[in-house]
Amino acid sequence: MTLATIRSLQNGTMFCWIILLATCSAMAAPSSCNLRLVKNTIVANCMAQGHLTIPDISLSTEVILLSFNNITYLKESSFPPLGCAKTLTLGMQLAGKLYIGESAFRRLGNLTFLDVGGNKHLMLHDKAFAGLGKLEVLLLDHSDLKDGVLQNSYFEDLLSLKKLDLTGNQIQMACVGRLEGCLTKGLVPVRVKGTEWARWETRQEAGGEHRTLSK
């Protein structure tokens, strides 16, 4: 399932969520996730269902869509062991804040795509992403993040990371050079920029693969 497909599902669900707010009681019990097969991929659509915590999800699920809910706190025990999961979206939680605790996604160790963007007042433990050694894409856009997200050890466990989206945040410092060096706590080469930096992208160079930060 492509990023464009995931975003399309989220945007369509957002419209439905607005209609739902206008027609349903705020005290209604959350619905169960809608489990379906999309291009031979098992998808759990749990978006816009008013969930306060992670709902029951089939252990065979590969794509988990949890955007537009009311989740405010995630820790390692928040999730069941979901070893088949490759994609997880938690963008745009509606409660107004989201805290992601230490090793919150350790039970989803095979994730390659994680979207937690669009969460105003996003707070991260510096080991929030521990255990995600296979993660390739991390979206943290428009989440009120500041320079500290580049200075501390938030991303040091993400050994497979190819794209880190930081658009729309309050970051004034940009880490330059190889990603591996930038992720070494206390050894963060930075330069001040007047514009926000967008994402880490992988590019090929003589002598091997380098990861650089690009606008």
Side-chain angles (χ1 to χ4, degrees):
M1 181 172 289
T2 65
L3 174 58
T5 302
I6 293 169
R7 291 291 193 181
S8 177
L9 282 168
Q10 289 180 316
N11 291 339
T13 304
M14 186 57 178
F15 174 77
C16 296
W17 176 243
I18 294 171
I19 299 300
L20 187 66
L21 284 175
T23 57
C24 297
S25 167
M27 299 302 293
S31 303
S32 298
C33 296
N34 177 23
L35 197 66
R36 53 180 172 162
L37 194 65
V38 179
K39 296 182 178 180
N40 295 319
T41 299
I42 301 174
V43 179
N45 185 354
C46 316
M47 294 191 290
Q49 294 181 351
H51 295 294
L52 302 176
T53 58
I54 303 301
D56 291 335
I57 298 171
S58 170
L59 301 186
S60 61
T61 303
E62 298 166 80
V63 174
I64 304 167
L65 307 177
L66 275 163
S67 299
F68 312 122
N69 282 292
N70 294 298
I71 298 168
T72 60
Y73 185 83
L74 292 172
K75 56 184 178 178
E76 184 173 351
S77 61
S78 297
F79 293 92
L82 292 166
C84 293
K86 299 297 180 64
T87 295
L88 173 63
T89 71
L90 285 158
M92 296 288 291
Q93 296 301 311
L94 304 176
K97 63 180 180 179
L98 175 62
Y99 177 75
I100 300 179
E102 182 176 4
S103 303
F105 305 105
R106 188 177 294 278
R107 295 184 177 185
L108 299 90
N110 289 315
L111 281 182
T112 60
F113 180 98
L114 176 60
D115 179 5
V116 288
N119 283 300
K120 296 299 183 183
H121 309 299
L122 178 66
M123 295 167 284
L124 299 171
H125 188 282
D126 60 2
K127 291 292 185 181
F129 305 116
L132 292 180
K134 297 180 180 180
L135 193 70
E136 297 179 1
V137 178
L138 176 58
L139 306 185
L140 289 168
D141 54 297
H142 299 89
S143 296
D144 287 344
L145 297 175
K146 298 180 174 61
D147 293 336
V149 75
L150 289 177
Q151 294 175 287
N152 297 316
S153 57
Y154 294 100
F155 311 122
E156 68 179 6
D157 292 323
L158 305 182
L159 303 179
S160 301
L161 193 65
K162 296 178 180 178
K163 177 179 176 181
L164 172 60
D165 192 342
L166 291 167
T167 47
N169 285 294
Q170 301 177 37
I171 297 171
Q172 298 300 317
M173 293 190 300
C175 189
V176 297
R178 295 185 63 132
L179 177 60
E180 291 83 355
C182 295
L183 300 185
T184 303
K185 188 174 183 180
L187 297 174
V188 183
V190 297
R191 62 181 178 182
V192 176
K193 297 294 293 185
T195 57
E196 296 164 345
W197 288 79
R199 55 186 63 84
W200 290 104
E201 292 180 340
T202 300
R203 60 186 173 91
Q204 295 290 334
E205 291 184 353
E209 183 180 75
H210 290 234
R211 297 188 180 101
T212 60
L213 191 64
S214 62
K215 290 191 286 186

